[in-house]
Amino acid sequence: MSCLMVERCGAVTFKWSEQNAVRVRMLADGRLNTGHAGVLLAERRGSYPLIGLRVLNTSSQQGEVESGTRRKLNRLLSFQRFFHASRLLRGLASHSPGSLHILDNDYLGQAAHMLSKVETWNFDIFLFDRLTNGNSLVTLMCHLFNVCDLIHHFQLDMVKLHRFLGMVQDDYHSNNPYHNAVHAADVTQAMYCYMKEPRLAEQLTPLDGFLGLMAAAAHDVDHPGVNQPFLMKTRHHLASLYQNTSVLESHHWRSTVGMLRESGLLSHLPANISQDIEQQLGSLILATDISRQNEFLVTFREHLDNQDLDLQLASHRHFMLQIALKCADVCNPCRDWELSRQWSERVCEEFYRQGDLERKLNMEISPLCDKLTDSVPAVQIGFISYIVQPLFQEWQRFTEPSLLSQMMMSNLHKNKDRWSRLWCVHAASETQPHSEEPGGGGGGDGEDIS
Ligand SMILES: Nc1ncnc2c1ncn2[C@@H]1O[C@@H]2COP(=O)(O)O[C@H]2[C@H]1O
């Protein structure tokens, strides 16, 4: 028992202890300088380029940036790769098949108990992540693939599946407060709940189930923790690669395709099938671009008004998978308050970090990213009002309405009221008479939210 505890603590310590973190970072920097990691990682990920954040020299107005900041920026997008490589070199890959063995039986028992209720809306993904020692995404996906009979249906090789899921989980940045593997697991759990909605479940094929879960798990992989406008204004090479259009989503998709090919997960399928899967995954992941919210909402509303959704048509099922994934991606305000509040704080923390970076670089601070003026309650009220509520109103109509969608709407209203009360308290405590009005949403992406 004590031996197990030491190993378990060791695993956690490796991830979080500042001392070890510094060591890993120094290793990362060393490799960055010698270029060894570039070689090593290029071998591991042949399909897409190593990311280096080139925010420097973007504008003469920005002036000189001190070298410490320069180093930090270089790390912003590449650290995960170096971190992962260093773990591989030391045989510490978190997704090794035996990784759960270092957990107490007690923890495993509780995690298994949670999985037996995976379709419940108050599933606590933060607790599940702790119980699985940070392996929530891999553990959840393996479980869902089993219960949906996808392993048997697609004759998947379990080793390859585990390897693929491990790569996906590891390529999320654990130092992002919001866009990390726990968010991916949360979206996957929500997606599963939505695919279980009677109106959808009756019609979905195994391929739909496979695509829905895979897209949810991978939809934000390798997210750098800053948004598209930031990548554009800093002239990041991904922005030029994807011509300033769905830059992050395109990267999430192409990264997923790279990992699929590298793991060989679909290599036993005919080429036309695996190509179709890659394309459909792309269409699903690209639909999560929040700047396309209005486009999807209008089409969804039209279908509902005309009552012309025919879920026996593959194209209509695909559209509903896109909508379900979009709902899952922004469903955190529909969760119970305690879960919802944590996501709200995390997403705002990520916005504020971007804002702090922009301030440091003498750049204009992006909407919602200024911790001095954009309070969490104000950001939440705007996001709920302009993004979440309009989408979930239509989703509720689609489900005719189901118990789940009624519960989500009830949570949404309660959470909005609670943020409104908190906003009043916050506004009253502000000394300046011109405290901000609640508004905006969606992470300052300049999205169309009319
Ligand atoms: N609780 C929240 N408050 C504000 N914005 C959010 C919240 N949850 C999600 N978002 C935004 O919704 C966006 C959905 O797409 P992204 O993952 O690119 O980035 C996400 C965030 O910018």
Side-chain angles (χ1 to χ4, degrees):
M1 172 70 177
S2 62
C3 168
L4 288 176
M5 283 294 285
V6 170
E7 280 190 83
R8 177 160 65 83
C9 291
V12 174
T13 304
F14 170 76
K15 223 168 175 183
W16 297 112
S17 122
E18 197 46 38
Q19 195 185 353
N20 282 325
V22 168
R23 194 157 60 86
V24 172
R25 280 178 194 164
M26 283 168 57
L27 184 64
D29 280 351
R31 289 198 190 139
L32 181 65
N33 293 337
T34 58
H36 291 160
V39 174
L40 188 142
L41 289 163
E43 282 168 8
R44 205 178 88 72
R45 295 271 187 281
S47 56
Y48 58 95
L50 266 181
I51 308 169
L53 190 63
R54 283 191 264 139
V55 295
L56 309 170
N57 309 323
T58 52
S59 137
S60 55
Q61 292 166 327
Q62 285 165 17
E64 266 298 301
V65 181
E66 18 109 33
S67 60
T69 308
R70 187 184 298 246
R71 272 200 302 277
K72 257 189 212 141
L73 293 171
N74 272 325
R75 251 187 237 135
L76 186 63
L77 286 174
S78 56
F79 173 63
Q80 200 66 10
R81 299 281 158 81
F82 294 117
F83 176 72
H84 181 70
S86 73
R87 302 188 84 191
L88 281 181
L89 286 174
R90 288 185 287 153
L92 285 167
S94 63
H95 52 88
S96 64
S99 62
L100 282 181
H101 298 164
I102 62 175
L103 286 172
D104 295 346
N105 284 338
D106 198 22
Y107 277 36
L108 283 178
Q110 288 183 56
H113 179 69
M114 287 189 75
L115 283 178
S116 71
K117 300 180 174 195
V118 69
E119 73 288 346
T120 52
W121 188 242
N122 60 2
F123 189 88
D124 185 343
I125 199 71
F126 299 110
L127 173 61
F128 185 68
D129 194 60
R130 289 196 296 277
L131 292 173
T132 55
N133 199 20
N135 281 297
S136 53
L137 187 58
V138 173
T139 316
L140 177 70
M141 279 291 279
C142 282
H143 176 76
L144 294 179
F145 265 51
N146 255 319
V147 295
C148 298
D149 201 28
L150 297 174
I151 296 167
H152 172 248
H153 185 89
F154 290 100
Q155 294 287 296
L156 298 177
D157 178 331
M158 273 308 286
V159 173
K160 289 179 180 174
L161 176 64
H162 217 268
R163 198 160 76 206
F164 168 75
L165 293 173
M167 283 193 245
V168 173
Q169 182 177 270
D170 282 354
D171 266 11
Y172 278 94
H173 297 207
S174 56
N175 48 344
N176 284 347
Y178 180 83
H179 285 107
N180 52 42
V182 188
H183 165 64
D186 186 52
V187 170
T188 304
Q189 191 271 340
M191 186 70 177
Y192 178 66
C193 292
Y194 299 160
M195 292 196 303
K196 294 271 283 183
E197 282 284 6
R199 195 167 167 202
L200 263 187
E202 282 162 16
Q203 306 290 344
L204 292 184
T205 64
L207 179 59
D208 296 325
F210 177 88
L211 290 167
L213 293 177
M214 290 283 268
H219 80 283
D220 269 335
V221 73
D222 203 25
H223 195 295
V226 291
N227 60 17
Q228 172 171 311
F230 185 89
L231 295 179
M232 284 163 59
K233 65 189 176 186
T234 55
R235 300 192 192 156
H236 190 274
H237 73 260
L238 282 180
S240 47
L241 178 65
Y242 296 117
Q243 300 180 340
N244 295 342
T245 308
S246 298
V247 173
L248 284 167
E249 293 74 20
S250 300
H251 178 59
H252 305 319
W253 170 40
R254 295 314 304 173
S255 302
T256 306
V257 169
M259 289 182 275
L260 269 176
R261 292 182 187 175
E262 185 179 334
S263 66
L265 181 63
L266 307 178
S267 59
H268 61 294
L269 300 178
N272 62 330
I273 305 267
S274 56
Q275 274 163 18
D276 177 53
I277 288 177
E278 288 179 3
Q279 288 308 312
Q280 292 209 54
L281 280 176
S283 162
L284 292 174
I285 293 174
L286 290 177
T288 63
D289 181 347
I290 198 78
S291 69
R292 297 177 62 197
Q293 187 76 355
N294 209 38
E295 170 198 327
F296 278 97
L297 191 59
V298 165
T299 312
F300 190 25
R301 208 172 266 148
E302 277 172 8
H303 277 308
L304 295 173
D305 289 346
N306 300 335
Q307 300 188 339
D308 62 1
L309 276 172
D310 176 0
L311 295 179
Q312 291 193 334
L313 294 176
S315 60
H316 283 199
R317 286 200 307 279
H318 184 79
F319 176 72
M320 282 316 302
L321 283 181
Q322 289 177 314
I323 294 290
L325 182 58
K326 291 178 67 56
C327 287
D329 194 24
V330 297
C331 74
N332 63 74
C334 301
R335 297 279 191 185
D336 285 351
W337 170 254
E338 268 317 310
L339 297 173
S340 179
R341 182 189 55 81
Q342 291 185 61
W343 289 120
S344 301
E345 285 169 2
R346 282 169 174 273
V347 79
C348 287
E349 173 60 21
E350 199 168 296
F351 294 164
Y352 298 156
R353 284 190 193 180
Q354 177 178 326
D356 287 348
L357 199 52
E358 291 166 334
R359 189 178 292 107
K360 205 165 185 171
L361 294 167
N362 289 325
M363 289 160 63
E364 194 181 333
I365 298 183
S366 297
L368 313 182
C369 294
D370 191 340
K371 67 183 177 197
L372 305 176
T373 55
D374 303 312
S375 69
V376 178
V379 173
Q380 293 316 295
I381 294 165
F383 182 65
I384 291 173
S385 307
Y386 295 111
I387 303 282
V388 186
Q389 221 166 329
L391 181 61
F392 277 86
Q393 264 159 7
E394 304 308 328
W395 177 259
Q396 191 179 29
R397 270 214 291 163
F398 168 74
T399 62
E400 296 180 328
S402 67
L403 283 177
L404 172 59
S405 60
Q406 288 177 50
M407 190 198 304
M408 289 194 300
M409 282 310 263
S410 156
N411 285 345
L412 188 64
H413 289 131
K414 279 191 253 173
N415 292 341
K416 189 177 174 186
D417 285 350
R418 203 145 172 178
W419 286 120
S420 299
R421 289 200 297 277
L422 286 169
W423 182 76
C424 290
V425 173
H426 173 84
S429 71
E430 288 282 283
T431 45
Q432 287 109 327
H434 57 278
S435 57
E436 89 281 22
E437 289 293 323
D445 283 14
E447 71 280 10
D448 175 10
I449 51 171
S450 56

